[in-house]
Amino acid sequence: GAGVSQTPSNKVTEKGKYVELRCDPISGHTALYWYRQSLGQGPEFLIYFQGTGAADDSGLPNDRFFAVRPEGSVSTLKIQRTERGDSAVYLCASSLGQGASPLHFGNGTRLTVT
Amino acid sequence: QKEVEQNSGPLSVPEGAIASLNCTYSDRVSQSFFWYRQYSGKSPELIMSIYSNGDKEDGRFTAQLNKASQYVSLLIRDSQPSDSATYLCAVDISGGYQKVTFGTGTKLQVIP
């Protein structure tokens, strides 16, 4: 079946603008994760969902970042008042959410804030 | 102290040699451990998962887990140039609640 789909693949925005990044997980995967990866670093945990609810949002850096998953499938990561330091690759992953299920990653969205 | 620690490398090994990649983690409640491979410009892909103390082998890859020492490693036998990538150690640090945290990754270079 289809893998994790992220759109857009690239996003360039100006400082101060609002952006939305979309993730469509593998069908049937109840857990969905957002990570942020900067060059030369490992993926940095932001938030993960079990179903519709955010099970852990402790990685969101500040209140400019928000994520939703209203129907337990597609998720949107929203960033307000973007800053140059937000530039990174935003990775979405999904898993079965049971026991020790491995994560399956999308291709990421490369966000550039100018 | 970081929750998951790896040496960033680069680790250089000759083709055909064994590459040994190491990872330590800070939380004793951690139960699930994963190794991902990430090629430059690509997303991480799962190589191995391990949940119990001891060794787990899959082809040329062997994962080793020692919970008492809070240590997990990945051995790659008969290393090939195509194995050149960054290897990410990932740990469910929440004791089964699915919060998966990654290390910074070790860059492996296999020299032909």
Side-chain angles (χ1 to χ4, degrees):
Chain A
V4 178
S5 175
Q6 290 188 248
T7 54
S9 55
N10 280 283
K11 176 70 177 178
V12 181
T13 191
E14 293 180 348
K15 179 176 177 295
K17 299 291 187 182
Y18 168 83
V19 296
E20 290 188 351
L21 311 179
R22 176 188 166 105
C23 175
D24 197 343
I26 293 172
S27 178
H29 279 195
T30 61
L32 184 146
Y33 298 75
W34 284 100
Y35 290 85
R36 177 170 69 176
Q37 188 173 28
S38 300
L39 193 63
Q41 300 297 313
E44 174 193 2
F45 173 84
L46 296 178
I47 184 172
Y48 91 94
F49 293 86
Q50 280 284 9
T52 60
D56 190 320
D57 64 358
S58 61
L60 294 177
N62 51 59
D63 62 6
R64 296 186 298 105
F65 289 74
F66 190 70
V68 296
R69 195 186 185 198
E71 297 179 357
S73 181
V74 171
S75 175
T76 304
L77 178 65
K78 308 180 181 192
I79 311 174
Q80 299 177 320
R81 305 184 303 280
T82 52
E83 300 178 355
R84 293 193 179 88
D86 299 334
S87 297
V89 175
Y90 288 80
L91 293 167
C92 176
S94 69
S95 79
L96 287 171
Q98 301 166 3
S101 306
L103 274 59
H104 300 266
F105 283 87
N107 290 329
T109 294
R110 180 175 298 278
L111 175 66
T112 304
V113 182
T114 62
Chain B
Q1 181 186 8
K2 291 184 179 178
E3 293 166 318
V4 181
E5 295 207 50
Q6 297 180 254
N7 187 319
S8 61
L11 172 67
S12 294
V13 300
E15 183 174 356
I18 295 175
S20 178
L21 303 159
N22 304 313
C23 173
T24 58
Y25 59 95
S26 61
D27 200 322
R28 288 192 172 274
V29 302
S30 301
Q31 295 182 2
S32 306
F33 307 85
F34 309 93
W35 283 100
Y36 286 81
R37 177 176 61 199
Q38 187 173 30
Y39 291 112
S40 181
K42 301 296 185 182
S43 291
E45 55 180 333
L46 180 71
I47 298 176
M48 295 277 290
S49 56
I50 186 167
Y51 314 113
S52 304
N53 279 329
D55 295 359
K56 179 182 178 182
E57 186 175 321
D58 183 0
R60 295 188 296 112
F61 299 96
T62 299
Q64 300 174 317
L65 175 60
N66 184 326
K67 290 187 178 181
S69 301
Q70 295 175 237
Y71 176 92
V72 58
S73 65
L74 179 70
L75 300 178
I76 307 174
R77 289 181 299 282
D78 188 24
S79 296
Q80 301 297 309
S82 59
D83 294 328
S84 298
T86 295
Y87 289 80
L88 297 162
C89 173
V91 179
D92 178 354
I93 64 167
S94 58
Y97 288 95
Q98 305 282 315
K99 180 176 180 180
V100 179
T101 298
F102 284 78
T104 56
T106 298
K107 186 171 183 178
L108 173 66
Q109 297 176 339
V110 180
I111 311 301

